[in-house]
Amino acid sequence: MADVITDILKLVKSSDDSTDKGKLAKDFSENMQKIDDFAGKQAYVHTQSVPSATWTINHNLGRKPSVTIVDSSEKVVFGDITYVTDNQLTVSFSAAFGGKAYLN
């Protein structure tokens, strides 16, 4: 599959819009951009650099995502998640720490 995509991307770079191949390449390129834009809206990584027992996360995903929290040692940590809105959530822990929240 990767070889097919590579070949099409080469076609995009080497063709012009006046040929069928050029139109196909342009359409493919535009659709890949749409896919990239969509994929970018599917996940969010929050970094909590200042230790806190409550993390407020503004993710702007427009929904209530699943959440995985890891501390600074990359160990999974569990907390109480509250979905404030479709674009914000809070996670409460028993102690303050820093780390990352992976939302998807």
Side-chain angles (χ1 to χ4, degrees):
M1 180 68 168
D3 292 336
V4 172
I5 292 173
T6 301
D7 290 344
I8 293 173
L9 291 174
K10 286 179 187 174
L11 181 62
V12 169
K13 292 177 183 176
S14 66
S15 61
D16 61 54
D17 290 341
S18 64
T19 66
D20 287 340
K21 287 181 184 179
K23 181 174 178 351
L24 173 65
K26 182 179 179 216
D27 290 347
F28 177 80
S29 179
E30 289 172 359
N31 287 330
M32 288 304 296
Q33 183 61 49
K34 290 176 186 175
I35 290 169
D36 286 346
D37 292 344
F38 176 77
K41 296 176 185 173
Q42 299 308 302
Y44 178 78
V45 178
H46 170 79
T47 300
Q48 185 70 37
S49 54
V50 176
S52 179
T54 301
W55 297 8
T56 300
I57 302 171
N58 297 304
H59 54 77
N60 295 319
L61 293 172
R63 58 186 167 76
K64 295 172 177 65
S66 61
V67 181
T68 302
I69 307 287
V70 296
D71 64 15
S72 57
S73 300
E74 298 288 322
K75 293 182 182 174
V76 175
V77 180
F78 297 95
D80 294 321
I81 299 168
T82 302
Y83 293 97
V84 179
T85 68
D86 282 349
N87 291 308
Q88 184 186 69
L89 59 89
T90 60
V91 188
S92 300
F93 306 98
S94 59
F97 71 96
K100 292 189 178 188
Y102 297 94
L103 288 65
N104 60 32

